Amino acid sequence: MNSDQELVKRTLHGDTYAFEELVKTYQNKVYMLAYRYMGNEDDANDMAQEAFIKAYRSLRSFKGDASFGTWIYRITTNVCLDELRRRKRKIAPISLDEPLATLDGAEIEREISDQSLAADVIYEKKEFSQNIQLLLDEMKPEHKTVIVLRDVMDLSYEEIASVLDCSIGTVKSRISRARIILQKKLTERELLN
Amino acid sequence: MNCEQMQTLFSPYLDKMTNDVENEAIAEHLGECELCAHKLEEMGRICAMLKNLDTPQLPINFGESLHNRIGHEKIKIFPGSPLGVPKRTGWIAATVAGLAISAGIFTSSYLPYGAMVASLQDWMNKDNRPHIAVVDNNKILQDWINKHTEKVQTENGDQITNPAGQTGNETPGTTKPGNNTGIAPTITKPVQVALQEKVEQNYTAKIQVDDMDKSMQDVMQLAYASGAQISVKSANVMAATTENVKVVTMQVPKDKASALLSELGGVGVEAPLQNSVTYTEAYTENQKALANLDENIQKLQSSASLSDEQQTQLQNLLKQKQDLQAKQERIDKAVDSVTIEVRLLGKD
């Protein structure tokens, strides 16, 4: 029995300190995963905490077939994707051309900032990371998920299949498709030279 | 395989998830297609950059905040500590406690609580308790031996087995199985021929015992049950032997004597139960006077003819005889108790 399973067992006997040991082991990766899904620090913080709380509540369902890491990544993924879907339903589509109404009845024109990325900041790590994050946010969740799990989190195909509860073949084709889409976006926006 | 189909293999190719056939096909295609070679190199560069994306640091209060939330969740998930299975020491302690309780119950059922209560009642009513006196053992034993010798020898020396008992309706003592002494007692009741003449009736019984205290307790219980007045005498040294002896003297109501004698047989009597009759001096004189009267009366009555003076003398003698007989009946009636001496002979 590895240390993770021992800590899980102790947690199930009411030892919260054991669970906090698990948190310390995985909190950085869970937070990074949540950040890539959510795109900002506050949401990443909330979702990472929510993922750990959900894991704590449903720890009895953890059978130990996969590693605790894979299990907490799956929870984090589901928590984040559920939240993103919930938000997508709530946000009503608006027309960018429609003028904004002010309190005094006057109308002002919307000032839309140019989201396109300048080519001179591509290789600046911070800027590139922010731009990549914007591109990831534009992608479908299924593509975004495999890019994050494979290229950001560096999980193997087997681990990704376990997290997403699908076959390795599905993972392989989904990663391939996602990378081609991402590459196309980067090329279109001239973020690669 | 055209370029678009080939480019779908670039992703697994970079992850080393393609087989040899695919690898050969890719290598062959890249040698011929410069665009696909560029695409593969670009995809590899993107993957490398994705692995090194800048990620913000975990918030400082992340652990503390989560700790507080887990604390609240614990109350919901684990509202109370589950009852654990007792450890081995717990089971052992429970077993020992159970055995101790069982042993206590078992033992308590055999404790002589009844006897304790009876003793307490006796103590509370000590004025009504039978008097128990312990006297000089040697003197008592010597007296008993002397008395025993006298009692055994009656006037005419006859001893017969009394099949009908001495007290009329009561069943005389009979043979009973022996007790722990292993001695089957034979109780024989020698009686005096002239039953009507006794004025004191005495029985003596020897009982060989293993456990002096227990046998004494048995005898005392029998005596109490018969309403006897009891005196106990102890002797450590007997005149002729070194046996440990205790003598219990009982004054038993006349109507209960026979039953008590029978029960004493159950305790275990070694020697035949001996009976003796003691005559008081007055009674003896009365007997002698009565005998003389009978003799004189017979002489007068045997004469062929009697003078008037002799007739008058005969009438007087007959009247004296009637008076003496009446006196004897009164003495007999006055005897309402029987004395029983039980001698317990210890083995050591």
Side-chain angles (χ1 to χ4, degrees):
Chain A
M1 184 180 290
N2 62 40
S3 59
D4 284 357
Q5 287 176 321
E6 179 65 27
L7 291 170
V8 168
K9 188 177 177 183
R10 283 168 51 192
T11 305
L12 290 173
H13 284 85
D15 184 359
T16 54
Y17 293 105
F19 188 75
E20 289 180 11
E21 286 297 316
L22 288 168
V23 171
K24 286 177 184 175
T25 303
Y26 293 98
Q27 62 184 2
N28 285 317
K29 288 199 171 186
V30 167
Y31 178 77
M32 183 166 67
L33 184 61
Y35 179 80
R36 291 301 164 206
Y37 286 137
M38 303 306 294
N40 67 80
E41 296 180 33
D42 290 341
D43 286 345
N45 185 29
D46 291 345
M47 292 302 103
Q49 293 219 1
E50 189 62 29
F52 279 118
I53 292 296
K54 197 165 185 177
Y56 185 71
R57 288 174 184 161
S58 56
L59 200 59
R60 292 185 192 282
S61 66
F62 174 64
K63 303 300 181 186
D65 299 335
S67 69
F68 182 81
T70 304
W71 190 65
I72 191 68
Y73 297 153
R74 180 194 294 185
I75 292 173
T76 307
T77 300
N78 292 334
V79 166
C80 291
L81 296 183
D82 287 346
E83 177 63 18
L84 291 173
R85 279 193 291 267
R86 191 182 66 80
R87 291 182 182 181
K88 189 177 180 181
R89 286 194 299 268
K90 279 192 172 182
I91 297 173
I94 57 173
S95 172
L96 295 178
D97 298 331
E98 184 180 347
L100 287 170
T102 59
L103 291 175
D104 56 2
E107 290 184 350
I108 59 173
E109 293 295 325
R110 290 176 185 273
E111 292 182 0
I112 309 299
S113 61
D114 185 4
Q115 293 292 328
S116 60
L117 301 175
D120 58 348
V121 297
I122 284 180
Y123 294 107
E124 293 183 18
K125 189 178 180 183
K126 189 171 182 179
E127 292 294 322
F128 180 77
S129 296
Q130 291 174 346
N131 292 334
I132 285 287
Q133 185 65 52
L134 290 172
L135 293 177
L136 288 173
D137 293 343
E138 293 174 2
M139 295 173 72
K140 289 182 179 179
E142 63 184 50
H143 295 146
K144 179 180 179 179
T145 302
V146 291
I147 290 290
V148 170
L149 291 175
R150 174 61 195 150
D151 294 324
V152 178
M153 302 295 295
D154 200 23
L155 297 187
S156 68
Y157 280 45
E158 290 81 3
E159 289 172 325
I160 295 169
S162 178
V163 169
L164 300 179
D165 197 19
C166 63
S167 67
I168 292 178
T170 303
V171 171
K172 186 189 290 185
S173 63
R174 202 176 287 179
I175 290 174
S176 177
R177 180 66 181 153
R179 280 174 173 167
I180 291 171
I181 292 172
L182 181 62
Q183 186 177 14
K184 188 178 179 182
K185 285 180 177 291
L186 287 168
T187 305
E188 288 173 353
R189 302 193 185 184
E190 299 178 349
L191 295 176
L192 295 172
N193 58 6
Chain B
M1 189 177 286
N2 57 32
C3 289
E4 189 175 352
Q5 292 172 326
M6 186 58 65
Q7 288 171 13
T8 59
L9 291 175
F10 289 171
S11 173
Y13 179 78
L14 291 172
D15 291 329
K16 298 182 172 57
M17 295 296 289
T18 49
N19 56 37
D20 292 341
V21 176
E22 291 171 332
N23 290 338
E24 281 186 22
I26 291 169
E28 186 178 350
H29 184 81
L30 291 177
E32 299 171 354
C33 183
E34 198 170 318
L35 179 63
C36 283
H38 174 72
K39 287 281 185 181
L40 177 62
E41 182 274 329
E42 193 175 63
M43 184 177 283
R45 194 147 40 93
I46 292 170
C47 291
M49 287 188 292
L50 287 170
K51 284 182 171 56
N52 293 292
L53 289 177
D54 185 58
T55 304
Q57 291 293 315
L58 187 75
I60 297 173
N61 63 347
F62 182 86
E64 183 183 353
S65 176
L66 186 60
H67 173 81
N68 294 333
R69 291 185 66 183
I70 288 173
H72 286 97
E73 290 297 324
K74 184 184 179 184
I75 296 172
K76 297 176 186 173
I77 298 170
F78 303 103
S81 298
L83 289 175
V85 177
K87 294 179 180 176
R88 184 194 294 178
T89 51
W91 286 115
I92 291 172
T95 304
V96 170
L99 288 173
I101 293 170
S102 301
I105 295 170
F106 180 79
T107 306
S108 65
S109 64
Y110 285 90
L111 286 176
Y113 285 127
M116 291 179 181
V117 173
S119 299
L120 180 62
Q121 290 174 340
D122 288 344
W123 179 80
M124 294 173 71
N125 301 301
K126 55 186 178 183
D127 293 341
N128 299 328
R129 283 191 300 166
H131 177 69
I132 298 175
V134 179
V135 297
D136 188 313
N137 298 328
N138 290 330
K139 183 177 184 300
I140 295 300
L141 279 170
Q142 191 59 49
D143 290 346
W144 179 83
I145 292 168
N146 295 336
K147 190 177 179 180
H148 174 73
T149 304
E150 290 171 2
K151 287 174 184 173
V152 169
Q153 299 299 326
T154 59
E155 281 189 344
N156 55 13
D158 292 333
Q159 289 189 352
I160 61 172
T161 301
N162 177 21
Q166 280 195 291
T167 53
N169 296 331
E170 294 174 3
T171 305
T174 55
T175 301
K176 283 190 174 182
N179 65 348
N180 56 359
T181 61
I183 301 170
T186 301
I187 301 176
T188 306
K189 286 187 173 180
V191 296
Q192 223 277 338
V193 176
L195 295 175
Q196 300 86 342
E197 296 176 355
K198 66 181 181 297
V199 293
E200 285 184 354
Q201 190 169 4
N202 297 284
Y203 290 90
T204 58
K206 286 184 181 177
I207 302 176
Q208 187 76 39
V209 298
D210 285 332
D211 187 341
M212 178 65 81
D213 293 335
K214 182 180 181 304
S215 298
M216 176 63 82
Q217 188 179 359
D218 292 342
V219 170
M220 297 290 274
Q221 285 177 349
L222 291 173
Y224 279 131
S226 299
Q229 293 290 322
I230 304 169
S231 64
V232 179
K233 305 163 188 176
S234 299
N236 292 326
V237 181
M238 199 174 171
T241 69
T242 58
E243 288 179 318
N244 181 24
V245 178
K246 284 194 177 180
V247 180
V248 182
T249 303
M250 311 172 192
Q251 288 289 333
V252 191
K254 199 172 182 178
D255 58 339
K256 298 203 175 164
S258 180
L260 177 57
L261 287 167
S262 175
E263 289 167 348
L264 285 172
V267 178
V269 179
E270 183 187 41
L273 194 65
Q274 294 176 329
N275 179 38
S276 66
V277 178
T278 302
Y279 299 95
T280 62
E281 187 176 352
Y283 187 85
T284 305
E285 289 177 357
N286 197 55
Q287 285 285 83
K288 288 179 179 177
L290 199 58
N292 289 332
L293 279 175
D294 279 341
E295 187 178 355
N296 291 331
I297 289 168
Q298 284 179 0
K299 284 180 181 176
L300 289 171
Q301 288 177 340
S302 61
S303 298
S305 60
L306 295 174
S307 62
D308 293 341
E309 184 181 355
Q310 288 176 322
Q311 285 290 344
T312 305
Q313 187 180 0
L314 180 58
Q315 292 300 321
N316 289 335
L317 289 174
L318 289 172
K319 189 175 183 303
Q320 287 178 15
K321 185 183 178 181
Q322 286 179 347
D323 292 340
L324 288 174
Q325 285 177 333
K327 183 181 178 182
Q328 186 172 326
E329 286 178 2
R330 287 198 301 275
I331 293 172
D332 284 339
K333 287 182 180 177
V335 178
D336 61 352
S337 65
V338 175
T339 300
I340 300 175
E341 275 192 348
V342 178
R343 298 182 65 247
L344 300 174
L345 308 177
K347 282 190 173 178
D348 49 5

